[in-house]
Amino acid sequence: MKHLKIRFEGGEELSATLLEESAPLTCKAIWDSLPFQSTVTQSRWSGREINLRYDNDSYPIKENQTIYTSKGEVCYWRDWGWEGDSPPSQAIAIYYGAELARSNKGNELVNVFAQIHFNHFTILNKIGERVWLKGAEKVCFKRS
């Protein structure tokens, strides 16, 4: 099993297990792009979700998709209906509560590719609420 470490500007670190059996291509794309840094923000549409822009030249196919996310799930999103000359938008979302994956267009399918370890849920709540109330912060994803 492969694991991620997700370190936040506030000093906390979360561990997550990749769901390679359920989302192998998404896991491979994410794993191969590690380490990377970004800025995490509160979702405007999905409630208890923090997300970050994800730039990668690999665009995983739809796999292990849902609109019904659970606490601790780490998901990959892109504009699945994209058609055009520029690359589609991509994002990674971390849910700190059960929510519907949504955007200004309505419900949005996401690939669930990792699960935050259960013993980190209290830290996850703290991070989610801090980002919601205080704003964006830096985040770093790396291999564990």
Side-chain angles (χ1 to χ4, degrees), residues 22-36:
S22 304
L25 297 176
T26 307
C27 289
K28 180 175 177 9
I30 301 296
W31 188 257
D32 289 349
S33 68
L34 297 173
F36 64 84

Side-chain angles (χ1 to χ4, degrees), residues 30-51:
I30 301 296
W31 188 257
D32 289 349
S33 68
L34 297 173
F36 64 84
Q37 292 184 338
S38 190
T39 301
V40 67
T41 59
Q42 173 66 34
S43 171
R44 182 173 180 181
W45 305 101
S46 294
R48 293 166 293 180
E49 172 201 335
I50 53 176
N51 60 50

Side-chain angles (χ1 to χ4, degrees), residues 26-86:
T26 307
C27 289
K28 180 175 177 9
I30 301 296
W31 188 257
D32 289 349
S33 68
L34 297 173
F36 64 84
Q37 292 184 338
S38 190
T39 301
V40 67
T41 59
Q42 173 66 34
S43 171
R44 182 173 180 181
W45 305 101
S46 294
R48 293 166 293 180
E49 172 201 335
I50 53 176
N51 60 50
L52 54 123
R53 182 180 170 154
Y54 176 70
D55 293 314
N56 191 323
D57 293 336
S58 174
Y59 301 99
I61 62 169
K62 297 177 181 180
E63 57 184 2
N64 199 32
Q65 287 202 310
T66 189
I67 61 168
Y68 303 104
T69 59
S70 296
K71 185 174 190 171
E73 288 184 336
V74 185
C75 303
Y76 166 82
W77 170 88
R78 71 176 161 99
D79 186 355
W80 301 105
W82 167 83
E83 294 179 18
D85 295 332
S86 60

